[in-house]
Amino acid sequence: MSETLLSVENLRVEFDTRDGIAPVIQNLSFELKAGETLGIVGESGCGKSMTALAVMGLVPGPMGRIAGGAIRLAGEDLVKAGERRMRQVRGNDISMIFQEPMTSLNPVFTVGDQIGETVRVHQGLSKREAFGRAIEMLRAVGIPAPERRAGEYPHQLSGGMRQRVMIAMALACRPRVLIADEPTTALDVTVQAQIFDLLQDLQRETGTAIILITHDMGAIAEMAERVIVMYAGRKVEDGPVGEILSRPLHPYTRGLISCVPHLAAEPSAERHDLVEIPGVVPGLTQLGRDGCPFAPRCAERLDACTDMPAESGGAEHRVSCWAAPGAAA
């Protein structure tokens, strides 16, 4: 078994609002092993990206803060680390690919300078050496004519190329953990497949552990080995991807899977229409209330759902639901 590289223990993130304190992440725990890909899936507003920002030490203050728990990287608790230490960790030990490259890349600097800045800050390379590393990374992520592209600006690149630049920047220092937050958003399906293949190839070469954040169960099936399903800031189910997809225990997980379109194996095969999940994710002011947060949208709700369910299941496949097999209602 690979060693545990990143451990999140009972993480709690809070935001101050006009109506009081909103617990946007509640008692979240998971582990990431070296060389593993862990998926975090859920609708927009479920707390996926906020989990990533907490791991990176980028929870927006002063309104937001980590209110409890631990985030341990190779045994070091990053929650207790100061900002100076986190600047050393970010980009070097833990890197992140953000959702939209055009808002993450600086429009007035060339992509080569932006990639090179990472290795200059963390590895002490000269400007010339850093620019050479940038060209190497652009070549590694499959960008043609990397010497020329390194001297271009973000607006001169296509969406797929900009995303590859973000991957090159994130991997320039060979981080131990890479967080990919919706890395294929707004890209066409062909480019999406290329980006996923690229991440898998680079992971095999570098041994980097990946946290893939997405709303797409199809992407989870293709990329991840284990998956966490989040809803309203809570983990509602987690386990091996194959087990989750073949035997989902939580109604929300089944709803996410039912939303994935697929082609019938035969033209004459029975059609499977997409099934929507009624309702919407609770707003900030509704978080932290008693009971299961998914109950208002759940077709399987029970009287017991007015109380928060405890985790149940086996050692690997766990679920928080009163209606799940084996739950003590």
Side-chain angles (χ1 to χ4, degrees), residues 226-243:
R226 291 189 302 116
V227 60
I228 293 170
V229 183
M230 289 190 68
Y231 185 79
R234 294 180 179 271
K235 179 177 66 175
V236 297
E237 188 168 1
D238 73 293
V241 167
E243 178 78 6

Side-chain angles (χ1 to χ4, degrees), residues 147-167:
E147 294 84 358
R148 175 168 60 86
R149 295 297 186 181
E152 294 182 343
Y153 294 87
H155 73 273
Q156 296 176 279
L157 305 179
S158 67
M161 282 192 178
R162 286 194 293 266
Q163 195 61 281
R164 288 171 185 264
V165 168
M166 290 296 299
I167 295 172

Side-chain angles (χ1 to χ4, degrees), residues 43 217 229-231 236-237 244 247-259 275-278 292-302 305 309 312 317-325 327:
E43 295 169 277
M217 272 294 191
V229 183
M230 289 190 68
Y231 185 79
V236 297
E237 188 168 1
I244 295 284
R247 196 173 65 91
L249 300 178
H250 199 285
Y252 181 62
T253 308
R254 290 194 287 273
L256 291 176
I257 295 172
S258 298
C259 292
V275 180
E276 68 175 6
I277 304 175
C292 173
F294 187 64
R297 306 174 67 186
C298 183
E300 304 176 33
R301 59 182 174 269
L302 307 170
C305 295
S312 61
H317 190 175
R318 307 284 294 173
V319 64
S320 297
C321 178
W322 292 117

Side-chain angles (χ1 to χ4, degrees), residues 1-328:
M1 293 291 291
S2 299
E3 63 172 335
T4 296
L5 182 58
L6 181 72
S7 175
V8 175
E9 305 166 7
N10 298 316
L11 178 66
R12 183 178 176 88
V13 178
E14 296 178 345
F15 271 75
D16 293 326
T17 72
R18 288 177 294 181
D19 299 308
I21 296 175
V24 296
I25 302 292
Q26 302 177 67
N27 302 320
L28 177 64
S29 297
F30 64 85
E31 292 183 347
L32 179 70
K33 299 186 181 301
E36 178 186 35
T37 299
L38 171 69
I40 301 180
V41 68
E43 295 169 277
S44 296
C46 285
K48 309 182 302 297
S49 294
M50 190 54 62
T51 299
L53 293 177
V55 172
M56 294 288 290
L58 293 175
V59 175
M63 306 299 287
R65 60 191 169 273
I66 296 177
I71 301 171
R72 303 186 193 279
L73 177 66
E76 178 185 4
D77 189 355
L78 300 182
V79 173
K80 296 179 181 178
E83 179 56 28
R84 181 176 180 180
R85 171 60 181 149
M86 287 307 301
R87 283 198 298 267
Q88 297 173 341
V89 170
R90 283 193 294 266
N92 193 39
D93 296 305
I94 306 177
S95 287
M96 185 167 175
I97 304 170
F98 293 89
Q99 289 188 34
E100 177 46 60
M102 279 304 285
T103 61
S104 304
L105 294 171
N106 193 318
V108 301
F109 290 97
T110 66
V111 296
D113 285 338
Q114 294 185 64
I115 297 171
E117 182 183 14
T118 302
V119 292
R120 289 178 63 193
V121 169
H122 292 293
Q123 299 184 353
L125 271 63
S126 67
K127 187 172 183 179
R128 181 169 182 167
E129 291 171 332
F131 197 79
R133 175 72 67 83
I135 293 173
E136 291 177 14
M137 292 307 304
L138 291 176
R139 184 178 293 111
V141 298
I143 290 183
E147 294 84 358
R148 175 168 60 86
R149 295 297 186 181
E152 294 182 343
Y153 294 87
H155 73 273
Q156 296 176 279
L157 305 179
S158 67
M161 282 192 178
R162 286 194 293 266
Q163 195 61 281
R164 288 171 185 264
V165 168
M166 290 296 299
I167 295 172
M169 187 183 304
L171 293 175
C173 293
R174 291 183 172 263
R176 290 184 282 178
V177 177
L178 174 66
I179 302 174
D181 188 2
E182 301 278 8
T184 58
T185 296
L187 300 179
D188 63 62
V189 291
T190 303
V191 178
Q192 286 182 29
Q194 293 173 354
I195 295 297
F196 285 145
D197 288 343
L198 172 63
L199 287 173
Q200 289 174 324
D201 290 343
L202 293 173
Q203 184 181 42
R204 283 190 289 268
E205 293 174 10
T206 63
T208 298
I210 296 176
I211 298 176
L212 174 64
I213 295 174
T214 182
H215 62 276
D216 184 358
M217 272 294 191
I220 291 294
E222 181 177 349
M223 283 287 296
E225 297 152 37
R226 291 189 302 116
V227 60
I228 293 170
V229 183
M230 289 190 68
Y231 185 79
R234 294 180 179 271
K235 179 177 66 175
V236 297
E237 188 168 1
D238 73 293
V241 167
E243 178 78 6
I244 295 284
L245 294 178
S246 63
R247 196 173 65 91
L249 300 178
H250 199 285
Y252 181 62
T253 308
R254 290 194 287 273
L256 291 176
I257 295 172
S258 298
C259 292
V260 178
H262 64 277
L263 298 175
E266 299 291 339
S268 59
E270 181 183 353
R271 173 180 170 178
H272 295 278
D273 290 331
L274 300 181
V275 180
E276 68 175 6
I277 304 175
V280 295
V281 178
L284 281 178
T285 58
Q286 298 173 299
L287 296 176
R289 294 184 178 180
D290 293 336
C292 173
F294 187 64
R297 306 174 67 186
C298 183
E300 304 176 33
R301 59 182 174 269
L302 307 170
D303 291 341
C305 295
T306 53
D307 294 324
M308 184 62 66
E311 271 197 338
S312 61
E316 292 192 340
H317 190 175
R318 307 284 294 173
V319 64
S320 297
C321 178
W322 292 117

